[in-house]
Amino acid sequence: MGLTSDDLVAALTVCLGEESTGLADTLDMMRRDPVTPTILSAWLQEGRELNPALRFELDTEVARIEYYRRLDARLTSKIPGLSSVKGLEILELYPAGLTRHQNDLDYVASEADLWQACDQLISDGWELDTATFLYFDDSIQVMASMRLENDDPYGIPYGVELSTFYSMGNYGAIRPLARMPEKWRSPAIKNIIMLLYERYEQPFRARDLYDAVLLHEALTDGELSILHRAVVKLSLGVEYSELHQLVAEAGLGPLPAWPARRLAASVIRARRLALGASHFLRPVAGTGRQMQRRMITGELGKREARAWELVQRHLSVPQGLSAGLLAFGLPMEGPRPKVTSTVLYRHKDLAWADTPVARLLLTIGDYVTEDKFDQLTERIAARADDGAASATEPA
C-alpha cells in the first residue's frame, strides 16, 4: 500500500475527531499523535517544501531511527535471544522514504538474556531507570527500562525496554501474555496482537491505523485465520472490531473481514466481565488491582485516591504481587548483588529485589519516602554484619 500525506491526515482526522482547515491546523493535530515524522516525510516525498524548523525536526527523527538501527544490530548480534516488538519491524513495512516515530526499542527475552542486555547497555553508558515486577504464569516476570541521555541537552533521552513477557494485560479482564505460540510469532501476527493489547492503555492513534494496514498486508497464506483465532483466544475482539471500523472510516481499508465478529465480540465481552468480577472474590486484592490500574492511567478520583491509600497500608508488596499487582523497583546505589536472577526479599514493611545489575526498593504505589531508602540501606548493612540473618525472608 502506498501512503500519501492525504491518507495520513485522513487517519489523523478520524482518530482525533477533528477536521483540519489548513496547514496550521494540521500541524496542531499532528502534535497530539506520534505521526509527525511520517507526515513530514510524506510531504517531502511529494515535493512540498518544509521550513527549516520542520526539516530539522524530521532530520532529528531520522537520526534517532538510525541510532536505534545500529543499537539493535549490536544488541541482537551479541544476544540472539532478544525478540524485537513493533518499532523497527513495522518501520520495515513503510513505503520507501517515509519514517516512523520511534520513542524507544522494545524487546521480549528470557530473564537471563534480559539482564545480559541490561549489563551490555550499562557498559555502554546507559543506566537502569526503573524495573517492574509482577507475578503470573507461575513465576516472577520482569520489565526493565533503560535510559541514555541525549547528546543534545534539549533532546529526548534514548530508551530500551526489555521484558520477560509480551503484555501484562490490564490487571483485570484482559489476561497477561507471557509467551506466544510459535505460530503467532511471525512479525505481522505478533505486532498486530501488540497493537491490540496497547488499546486499553490509550485510544488508537493515526499511526496505529497505518501500522495495522501494513501489517495485515504482510500476512502470508494462512496467517489471517491464525490471527483471528488468536484474537478470540486472547479476548481482544472488542479492540479488533474497533480497529477495523477506524481503518474503514479513514479510507485506508477495509481490513480483511473478521468472520462472525459480532458474535465473537459479544462472547468476549461476557468473558471479560466474568473474569474482571472474579478478581473481587478477594476484596482487598481486587480493589488493589483496580486502583493501581487507574493510578497508572491517571484516572484516580479523590475518593479512589483515599481508597488507594488504604489499600497500600493494608497490602504488603509480597501480598500485592501474589494478588496480581505490579511492584515498581527504584534502583539503589551500591555494589551489585551477587545473584544470577531476580530474588525478592522482605523485612517487616520493606521489600526489595536483588537483580544481577542492581538492588531495587519495591513499592506498589506512587509515593515512596526517603526514609524507606534509609531503612533498606540499614537493613542491608545489618544483614552484612550478621551474615544475612534469618529475619530477612525471601518474598
Side-chain angles (χ1 to χ4, degrees), residues 64-85:
R64 188 178 184 86
I65 287 285
E66 291 309 310
Y67 172 82
Y68 278 136
R69 285 189 197 278
R70 295 191 298 272
L71 177 61
D72 175 71
R74 188 163 69 252
L75 280 176
T76 54
S77 67
K78 294 182 177 180
I79 311 167
L82 295 180
S83 176
S84 177
V85 177

Side-chain angles (χ1 to χ4, degrees), residues 56-67:
F56 176 78
E57 184 174 352
L58 177 58
D59 289 345
T60 300
E61 290 277 3
V62 171
R64 188 178 184 86
I65 287 285
E66 291 309 310
Y67 172 82

Side-chain angles (χ1 to χ4, degrees), residues 247-386:
V247 167
E249 289 177 3
L252 297 175
L255 296 178
W258 182 27
R261 67 180 185 183
R262 289 185 181 177
L263 176 61
S266 297
V267 170
I268 287 168
R269 282 192 178 95
R271 184 194 304 165
R272 281 160 52 158
L273 283 172
L275 178 60
S278 72
H279 294 306
F280 287 89
L281 294 175
R282 299 168 65 189
V284 174
T287 301
R289 291 168 70 103
Q290 174 71 0
M291 294 299 100
Q292 189 184 63
R293 180 176 65 82
R294 291 179 67 80
M295 175 200 75
I296 292 169
T297 57
E299 298 174 345
L300 278 180
K302 289 184 178 180
R303 290 184 180 179
E304 290 176 319
R306 288 196 291 270
W308 176 230
E309 289 177 5
L310 288 173
V311 168
Q312 291 181 70
R313 284 202 291 268
H314 290 89
L315 197 64
S316 70
V317 173
Q319 289 172 327
L321 277 169
S322 298
L325 275 74
L326 309 180
F328 308 107
L330 306 174
M332 302 280 294
E333 295 182 358
R336 295 184 178 190
K338 295 179 180 180
V339 297
T340 58
S341 61
T342 301
V343 182
L344 303 184
Y345 291 98
R346 64 180 176 188
H347 177 71
K348 297 181 180 178
D349 62 343
L350 283 177
W352 68 94
D354 280 359
T355 75
V357 300
R359 174 169 289 127
L360 302 104
L361 175 67
L362 298 181
T363 176
I364 60 170
D366 55 349
Y367 178 70
V368 179
T369 64
E370 192 68 31
D371 180 57
K372 290 294 183 185
F373 286 95
D374 295 338
Q375 288 181 39
L376 179 52
T377 300
E378 293 170 2
R379 171 88 299 253
I380 298 301
R383 289 179 69 223
D385 290 341
D386 63 15

Side-chain angles (χ1 to χ4, degrees), residues 6-16 205-206 209-210 250 252:
D6 288 342
D7 294 329
L8 302 172
V9 174
L12 190 61
T13 298
V14 167
C15 289
L16 294 181
R205 300 159 298 178
L209 306 193
Y210 321 149
L252 297 175

Side-chain angles (χ1 to χ4, degrees), residues 10-29:
L12 190 61
T13 298
V14 167
C15 289
L16 294 181
E18 300 178 22
E19 293 284 346
S20 171
T21 59
L23 279 177
D25 278 350
T26 301
L27 282 169
D28 178 65
M29 293 165 63

